[in-house]
Amino acid sequence: MPELPEVETIARGVHERVRGDRIVDVWFGNYREPFKTPAPRQAKGLAGRAVLAVHRTGKHIVFELGSSDAANSGTEPEAQWIVHLGMTGRLLVTTPDAPVAAHTHARLDLASGRELRFVDPRRFGRLEFRSLKKGAPFQGPGAEPLTIGADEFAALFHSRRMPIKAALLNQTLLAGVGNIYADESLFQAGIRPRRRTNRLTADELGRLRQALLKVLDHAIRLGGSSVSDYVDANGVRGFFQLEHCVYQRTGEPCLRCQTPIRRILVAGRGTHFCPKCQR
Ligand SMILES: [Zn+2]
C-alpha cells in the first residue's frame, strides 16, 4: 500500500506533467466502488476545467481545478478532484494510443493531447469531486507530519494512553504514516513500539518527531529520482523499497547491535523492533 512518501512522489510527478493543462473529456468505467462522488456528477464537474496544481494531503492526491471557462481559468481553485490510491491504485499520465490496462476506471482527456488514467485492480481506491462553491476544501483528518511543530507533535500524544506505534498509525492524529515508516522511525528514535504515549518524555517525543521527518524525507528523495516509474505509463515498477532497518527483518541481525530483530503485534499490525536499541 502506498504510504506518505509514495503518495508525495506521485503527486509531484503528476503536478509536473499536468499543471496548466485542461480536462477536455472524461470517461469512467462501470464499477461503482471507485466513485465516492457518483460518476455522472463527477464527470460533469471535471469536464472543461483547468488543472491549476496537484499536491498531497495526507495520503490523498488533490487536484486544484480552475474554472471551465477556457478564456479565463483563473488562479483561484473552484473545485477539487481528490484521488485516494487505496491498496493498488495508480495514476498514469500517458497518450491516448497507449494500451489501456485492465482495471482502468477513469480516463481524462487533456487539452495537451495527453491522457490521465486511474487504474486500480483491487478497487479500494476512491475518486471524489468537490465544488468549492458549495463546500470547504478537502482537509485530511490528522496533522501533517512533514510540517508539524515540536509542541504540536508532543501535544498529540501527551494526553493519550495507547501504545506509541498505534498512535503513529492513527490517521486522525497524524496523516499518512503507515506501518513501514512507523516501525522505522521508532527504531531511529530508540523507542519501543508498545510504550504508552503518556509515558514518553518530551525528549523522546522530540527524537521521534525528528526521526519521522528524517525517514519520510529520505524516502521522498529516493522516490523523487524514480518518479517516472509511478506516473508514466511505461513505468511498471511498484512502490520503492526503502533500505529498512527493522521492517520485515524479523530474526535478522540489527544493523547497529546485531541483536535479532523481533516481531510482535501492536494494534493488530505486525511490528518490528530491536529489543536492545529500543527502550
Ligand atoms: Zn539493535
Side-chain angles (χ1 to χ4, degrees), residues 254 257 274 277:
C254 171
C257 75
C274 172
C277 294

Side-chain angles (χ1 to χ4, degrees), residues 1-3 5-6 9 180-181 184 215 218-223 225-226 229-230 237-249:
M1 180 186 303
E3 295 200 20
E6 292 87 356
T9 298
I180 300 172
Y181 300 101
E184 292 297 316
V215 167
H218 179 61
I220 290 168
R221 271 190 278 119
L222 279 182
S225 59
S226 61
D229 290 337
Y230 302 99
R237 217 176 71 167
F239 295 108
F240 59 81
Q241 294 291 305
L242 194 68
E243 307 117 24
H244 303 144
C245 291
V246 288
Y247 184 73
Q248 289 189 341
R249 294 193 64 243

Side-chain angles (χ1 to χ4, degrees), residues 11 15 17 26 36 40 42 55-56 116 119 140 145-146 152 161 166 179 190 219 236 245 266 271 277-278:
H15 174 80
R17 286 158 178 77
V26 178
K36 194 168 173 185
Q42 192 160 169
H55 59 92
R56 176 190 63 79
L116 184 66
V119 182
L146 293 182
E152 199 192 339
R161 297 165 52 89
N179 212 26
V236 289
C245 291
V266 180
T271 296
C277 294
Q278 292 172 255

